[in-house]
Amino acid sequence: MIKKLFPDAHVDTIYDVNYKKMYEEGIRGILFDIDNTLVPYDVAHPNEKIIRLFEELKEMGFKICLVSNNNKDRVIKFNESLKLIAIHKALKPFTKNLRKAMKLLETTNQETVIVGDQIFTDVLGGNRLNIKTVLVVPIQDKEEWITKVKRRTEKRIIDLYKRRDEKC
């Protein structure tokens, strides 16, 4: 069970992901979480750096989908300038909407990666579907109380993950 909570990669930010290597490995679809992965919870719109990154990813040949557990208004507002495929109230780690995202992107499990900041939603959901998972460090500490509780457990899991990597 603990392996289902380990990401395939753990990086500081979305800008530290090796997208070129992913493309060379056959990844064609990227599912991005929004809150605390791309921007803090209280930031409504993507900044220019995110817009540029997504343009570069599309030029490389990636298809992108926003997959958020947040509500419709939040996701639509965030996506206004990006104009990506987006799914709100995704209920991650349940896999139904992650499958829907892959169907909309027309990618398979082997061609898809999910990038997010939470082990119990993004990583677990991705691992349940056997898609690659990238865990990023949350952008800010300001979070809902339930997320703060989960973060303590996530820290222990990340420590186990790092120790496993040191043994390899």
Side-chain angles (χ1 to χ4, degrees):
M1 174 61 189
I2 193 79
K3 288 183 181 178
K4 288 281 187 197
L5 301 173
F6 287 168
D8 292 301
H10 184 220
V11 296
D12 288 338
T13 74
I14 59 168
Y15 306 104
D16 298 313
V17 175
N18 189 339
Y19 298 105
K20 183 180 177 194
K21 182 179 175 194
M22 279 186 185
Y23 194 83
E24 290 169 356
E25 292 174 349
I27 298 296
R28 298 296 181 265
I30 306 175
L31 313 180
F32 279 100
D33 174 50
I34 297 174
D35 295 313
N36 243 352
T37 298
L38 299 177
V39 293
Y41 288 98
D42 54 355
V43 173
H45 299 283
N47 59 34
E48 283 301 316
K49 193 173 179 183
I50 291 171
I51 293 170
R52 250 191 335 272
L53 173 65
F54 282 8
E55 288 302 320
E56 289 171 13
L57 293 175
K58 287 192 272 186
E59 286 173 15
M60 289 174 71
F62 288 108
K63 299 173 189 173
I64 301 169
C65 182
L66 302 174
V67 182
S68 174
N69 282 351
N70 211 324
N71 64 51
K72 184 177 181 178
D73 291 343
R74 163 65 166 148
V75 174
I76 287 174
K77 192 170 192 174
F78 183 81
N79 196 28
E80 283 173 350
S81 62
L82 296 172
K83 302 188 184 336
L84 298 168
I85 296 171
I87 297 174
H88 63 277
K89 291 202 174 203
L91 300 175
K92 298 172 287 183
F94 295 108
T95 58
K96 178 182 174 186
N97 285 313
L98 297 176
R99 280 194 184 97
K100 179 180 174 183
M102 289 191 302
K103 185 174 181 177
L104 292 169
L105 295 180
E106 299 177 340
T107 58
T108 65
N109 300 38
Q110 293 76 32
E111 298 171 324
T112 308
V113 63
I114 184 168
V115 179
D117 71 306
Q118 291 195 48
I119 288 175
F120 294 109
T121 57
D122 308 305
V123 172
L124 181 58
N127 284 339
R128 291 178 72 201
L129 277 179
N130 292 318
I131 65 175
K132 287 195 179 274
T133 57
V134 176
L135 180 68
V136 300
V137 175
I139 291 174
Q140 71 177 184
D141 293 334
K142 183 181 164 192
E143 298 181 292
E144 294 178 8
W145 70 268
I146 188 69
T147 305
K148 285 182 181 179
V149 171
K150 288 191 292 183
R151 293 285 187 210
R152 285 186 226 132
T153 306
E154 285 183 341
K155 183 179 178 334
R156 290 187 196 126
I157 293 167
I158 291 168
D159 288 344
L160 287 172
Y161 169 78
K162 287 179 178 176
R163 277 189 258 148
R164 179 198 70 156
D165 269 5
E166 290 170 0
K167 290 179 183 176
C168 295

